[in-house]
């Protein structure tokens, strides 16, 4: 690949970032691409509107759920060392793990934690604890506050709880805190020199903060909460890094587990295992899951990806093994995911020449809507589905467990915890698109906006899937 080709990529990212920043959608944006031995990083706008500090190429940011791939890598390292067995029950190593359903935790295998097939109903469980035993506090809280969505291995549902339990499991078997383990076994060998795990460390260098658009003025205002509690570390609450750090981590997975520093971080076999399909729901809105990685199909090309929401920001890491390419980015408003999706699709089609077929075909007529009507629930979330004017209408209600969790979630969401009712049009039985969007919207990362229903029994769907997360018919 010529330097000119990557210069064209840098120019495109710069142009698109500038357009979004100047339109007021995003205060600041930073992105990088590594392709065939060459690398570029581009930054635009400000890291914090309150201070006017610029977004720099080496500005740090919260990794959010991209951390889940780091946590999975740590688990596989311990499997290689003979300390953990993917096929063993988690309670073999963590006997205190329990859920509100008696005996349910005993069926969860180590593999289920990192493949999002564990069924732990804890996606909005935000216990507030700090320090060395925060993850211990989280696991203890599951026993009194969280149940199950399904039998382990039966379904797929994006699982913050599973990753946090995996983090506590790592602490127990290694004797190190999750932060120390991440520093020793990922940051250092990968060469993630700008990475840390706390606000106290991040403040010593250039670090971006998240923002939310003020509903009255539509101007960006800084978040009131920099990180989620320490209890959410392994799911993405606390790790912080730079675009160059994420590119280095992605390159490690491109190179069969050998980092850019030359250190072997993971065996070639474990690296390949993470990229293999571990569960496929066979629906366009939920890509097949590997271990840690989500496998986004774009025609014949697979993009290994994970995006990461943080309070007022969103990161993304994409690895394309067939094309020797890594893409990483961060924007400091939640809407930056739109720009990230735009750039990812441009990289695929214009830079790599990948043809992206339409993900959804013409909507079917006369789809029976009655199997999907009802109330669906998961941890602290209620979704009421009805038929209005020949379309499905969903009303989402947040039902906080206590004042502390309500405060944390409200800050994480930028103050807005309720949304207006959303209408959906049928694509085919069991698959729906939000009304008003052109079909091509869903060809990229935003396929997660589609909603699907699963497991019809006696004329009723048992599960609803939105954004990769299941709710169960009440």
């Amino acid at each position: 690949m010529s330097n000119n080709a990557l210069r064209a990529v840098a120019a495109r990212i710069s142009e698109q970032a500038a357009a979004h920043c100047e339109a007021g959608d995003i205060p600041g944006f930073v992105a990088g691409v590594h392709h065939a031995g060459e690398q570029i990083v581009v930054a635009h706008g400000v890291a914090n509107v309150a201070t006017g500090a610029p977004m720099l190429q080496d500005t740090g940011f919260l990794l959010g759920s991209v951390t889940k791939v780091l946590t999975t890598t740590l688990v596989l390292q311990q499997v290689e060392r003979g300390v953990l067995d993917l096929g063993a029950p988690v309670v073999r190593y963590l006997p205190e793990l329990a859920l509100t359903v008696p005996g349910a935790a005993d069926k969860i295998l180590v593999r289920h934690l990192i493949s999002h097939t564990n069924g732990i109903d804890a996606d909005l469980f935000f216990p507030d604890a700090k320090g060395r035993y925060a993850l211990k506090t989280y696991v203890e809280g599951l026993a009194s506050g969280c149940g199950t969505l399904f039998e382990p291995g039966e379904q797929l549902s994006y699982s913050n709880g599973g990753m946090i339990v995996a983090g506590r499991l790592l602490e127990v078997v290694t004797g190190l805190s999750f932060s120390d383990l991440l520093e020793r076994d990922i940051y250092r060998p990968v060469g993630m020199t700008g990475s840390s795990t706390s606000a106290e460390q991040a403040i010593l260098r250039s670090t971006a903060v998240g923002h939310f658009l003020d509903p009255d003025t539509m101007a960006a205002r800084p978040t009131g909460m920099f990180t989620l509690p320490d209890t959410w570390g392994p799911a993405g609450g606390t790790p912080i890094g730079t675009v160059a750090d994420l590119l280095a981590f992605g390159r490690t997975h491109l190179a069969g587990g050998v980092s850019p520093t030359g250190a072997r971080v993971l065996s070639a076999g474990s690296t390949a295992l993470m990229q293999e399909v571990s569960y496929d729901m066979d629906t366009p809105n939920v890509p097949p899951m590997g271990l840690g990685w989500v496998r986004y199909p774009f025609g014949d090309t697979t993009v290994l990806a994970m995006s990461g929401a943080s309070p007022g920001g969103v990161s993304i890491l994409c690895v394309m093994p067939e094309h020797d390419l890594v893409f990483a980015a961060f924007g400091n408003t939640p809407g930056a995911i739109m720009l990230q999706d735009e750039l990812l699709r441009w990289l695929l089609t214009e830079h790599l020449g990948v043809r992206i077929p339409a993900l959804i075909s013409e909507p079917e007529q006369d789809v029976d809507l009655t199997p999907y009507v009802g109330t669906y629930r998961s941890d602290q979330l209620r979704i009421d589905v009805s038929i209005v004017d020949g379309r499905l209408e969903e009303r989402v209600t947040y039902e906080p467990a206590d004042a502390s969790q309500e405060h944390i979630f409200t800050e994480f969401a930028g103050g807005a915890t309720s949304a207006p009712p959303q209408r959906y049009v049928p694509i085919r039985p069991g698959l729906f698109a939000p009304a008003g969007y052109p079909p091509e919207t869903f060809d990229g990362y935003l396929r997660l906006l589609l909603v699907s229903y699963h497991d019809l029994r006696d004329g009723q769907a048992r599960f609803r899937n939105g954004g990769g997360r299941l709710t169960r018919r009440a």
Side-chain angles (χ1 to χ4, degrees):
M1 185 199 63
S2 71
N3 282 332
N4 287 343
L6 215 50
R7 273 202 292 271
V9 170
R12 175 72 181 197
I13 293 172
S14 189
E15 176 189 313
Q16 295 301 100
H20 279 263
C21 290
E22 277 145 32
D25 302 342
I26 309 167
F29 191 76
V30 59
V33 174
H34 184 94
H35 186 202
E38 304 285 342
Q39 185 163 303
I40 54 101
V41 178
V42 175
H44 196 89
V46 295
N48 183 341
V49 298
T51 64
M55 185 76 86
L56 305 172
Q57 291 183 13
D58 64 350
T59 293
F61 50 85
L62 282 155
L63 303 184
S65 287
V66 174
T67 304
K68 291 179 170 71
V69 194
L70 280 66
T71 300
T72 303
T73 301
L74 288 170
V75 170
L76 268 292
Q77 287 175 340
Q78 295 305 318
V79 170
E80 287 179 11
R81 293 166 192 170
V83 176
L84 289 174
D85 178 349
L86 285 177
V90 177
V91 292
R92 176 191 294 178
Y93 313 100
L94 202 59
E96 64 270 32
L97 177 65
L99 300 166
T100 56
V101 180
D106 299 350
K107 303 173 188 174
I108 300 171
L109 307 181
V110 174
R111 176 185 297 278
H112 294 143
L113 297 178
I114 54 176
S115 60
H116 300 271
T117 56
N118 51 77
I120 297 170
D121 187 12
D123 214 49
L124 295 178
F125 179 49
F126 287 103
D128 194 8
K130 287 187 184 300
R132 176 66 177 88
Y133 294 105
L135 303 188
K136 184 172 186 284
T137 300
Y138 183 96
V139 170
E140 288 168 352
L142 291 175
S144 57
C146 297
T148 57
L149 280 167
F150 51 83
E151 289 284 309
E154 177 193 289
Q155 298 281 351
L156 173 71
S157 184
Y158 186 85
S159 177
N160 289 307
M163 284 291 172
I164 298 168
V165 172
R168 178 58 186 156
L169 176 64
L170 287 164
E171 289 188 334
V172 169
V173 299
T174 64
L176 291 174
S177 70
F178 177 77
S179 295
D180 288 348
L181 190 63
L182 192 62
E183 171 73 37
R184 186 191 77 179
D185 287 355
I186 302 286
Y187 289 171
R188 262 184 244 153
V190 171
M192 298 172 70
T193 56
S195 291
S196 60
T197 52
S198 72
E200 290 81 0
Q201 291 166 306
I203 203 171
L204 301 176
R205 59 191 317 283
S206 172
T207 304
V209 301
H211 299 76
F212 295 97
L213 294 180
D214 187 295
D216 298 323
T217 65
M218 293 313 290
R221 57 173 175 78
T223 174
M225 178 175 70
F226 177 55
T227 71
L228 286 169
D230 289 358
T231 49
W232 269 55
T238 54
I240 297 154
T242 65
V243 158
D245 291 337
L246 285 186
L247 292 176
F249 181 78
R251 289 170 62 192
T252 302
H253 280 266
L254 265 187
V258 178
S259 80
T261 70
R264 178 161 287 288
V265 176
L266 205 58
S267 72
S270 294
T271 308
L273 183 64
M274 285 179 63
Q275 300 178 17
E276 291 171 10
V277 176
S278 65
Y279 199 97
D280 187 355
M281 288 192 76
D282 196 27
T283 182
N285 58 313
V286 185
M289 181 63 68
L291 296 180
W293 292 112
V294 185
R295 295 171 42 95
Y296 282 80
F298 285 89
D300 295 331
T301 293
T302 296
V303 176
L304 305 170
M306 183 59 78
S307 69
S310 53
V314 62
S315 65
I316 193 167
L317 175 63
C318 300
V319 174
M320 302 168 214
E322 295 133 294
H323 297 280
D324 193 22
L325 189 143
V326 184
F327 167 58
F330 171 80
N332 55 4
T333 52
I337 191 71
M338 308 290 281
L339 174 55
Q340 291 164 357
D341 180 54
E342 200 176 286
L343 292 171
L344 173 60
R345 290 205 264 178
W346 182 87
L347 279 168
L348 285 163
T349 55
E350 301 300 321
H351 182 62
L352 297 175
V354 172
R355 192 182 72 82
I356 302 178
L359 191 73
I360 57 174
S361 52
E362 283 299 306
E364 288 185 27
Q365 304 301 314
D366 304 320
V367 172
D368 180 12
L369 304 181
T370 54
Y372 317 111
V373 171
T375 295
Y376 298 79
R377 288 182 183 270
S378 61
D379 176 51
Q380 303 177 60
L381 194 68
R382 170 184 170 139
I383 301 173
D384 293 294
V385 182
S386 57
I387 300 172
V388 179
D389 298 333
R391 293 176 172 178
L392 282 189
E393 182 177 275
E394 294 189 346
R395 291 176 178 265
V396 179
T397 307
Y398 172 55
E399 301 176 322
D402 56 52
S404 171
Q405 291 188 64
E406 181 177 21
H407 169 72
I408 293 165
F409 180 69
T410 302
E411 288 289 336
F412 177 55
T417 56
S418 60
Q422 174 70 57
R423 301 269 176 96
Y424 287 85
V425 295
I427 303 301
R428 64 182 193 218
L431 182 66
F432 296 83
Y437 288 84
E440 60 271 16
T441 304
F442 313 111
D443 290 344
Y445 210 82
L446 299 183
R447 65 190 73 187
L448 294 175
L449 294 175
L450 300 169
V451 164
S452 57
Y453 291 83
H454 302 271
D455 199 5
L456 259 68
R457 297 187 190 183
D458 303 321
Q460 291 191 321
R462 280 182 72 213
F463 295 102
R464 170 197 177 271
N465 194 306
R469 293 167 163 86
L470 286 185
T471 45
R472 189 178 58 201
R473 181 178 289 277

